[in-house]
Amino acid sequence: MHIHHISRQNSVLNTFLSEIRDVHTQKDPLRFRKNIERIGEILGYEMSKTLNFQKSTTKTPLGNSSVQLISENLVLCSILRAGIPLHNGLLNYFDRAENAFISAYRQHDEDSNTFKILVEYLACPDLNGKTLVLADPMLATGQSLVSTFEALKPYGIPKKTNIVSIIGSKKGVAFVNDYFDKNTDLWIAAIDNDLNEKGYIVPGLGDAGDLAFGEKLQQ
Ligand code: URA
């Protein structure tokens, strides 16, 4: 897997990353969602540089303009619910992409700090020969991403998989790196050092789903 750790190079991305992490700015859920969306746009833009393009001609009022346009069929797949703002950011740029949604959630074991990933809902187009973009804002353990990829297998074989994530833990990135093949690219804004006993990234930002959409009752 090829890892593109985008915040290694200073850019405006750092402003959005710092705001989504900041406990004070997090009190504004609209700004939180918007910043996640803007990060999705930046990561999508970086990813777009590695897609295949083909020559095309655009007719202007005054003549013809030659241009290279993306020639791949993209399928954007997000994990509900935290993935929605990141999905929107990607869709802002790849507005003709097809879309897939999956619900994968953690079921925590009350007696220990372990959890399993439950996949319940999946809506997905045919994936054969397409470019799959898996969007998961928080790459904590990597288990949700792998469970999602496994659940997508009956829908066809993509020619290429790109993973888009905002914050990952070193452990989660290593897990995903072991699982996915060499033809997979990871586009990630930041990689943090630790995971706590509940599987949250440290320093991370907290619960991305709750910050975007409000706290849920724990099951
Ligand atoms: N999901 C989150 O929202 N935050 C984490 O730190 C890990 C998983």
Side-chain angles (χ1 to χ4, degrees), residues 86-106:
L86 181 59
H87 192 103
N88 282 341
L90 291 164
L91 201 52
N92 286 348
Y93 279 16
F94 306 111
D95 46 288
R96 291 188 172 82
E98 293 178 280
N99 299 275
F101 294 97
I102 185 162
S103 89
Y105 68 96
R106 293 173 171 187

Side-chain angles (χ1 to χ4, degrees), residues 7 16 26 46-47 58 65 82-83 92 103 106-107 137 142 164 167 171 185 193 196 206 208 216:
S7 67
F16 307 144
Q26 283 180 346
E46 292 297 327
M47 182 187 80
T58 306
S65 166
N92 286 348
S103 89
R106 293 173 171 187
Q107 190 177 62
V164 176
I167 302 176
K171 201 172 164 188
D185 282 52
N193 284 334
N196 70 14
K216 60 192 172 297

Side-chain angles (χ1 to χ4, degrees), residues 106 138 140 199-201 206-209:
R106 293 173 171 187
M138 305 300 285
Y200 279 87
I201 299 169
D207 190 302

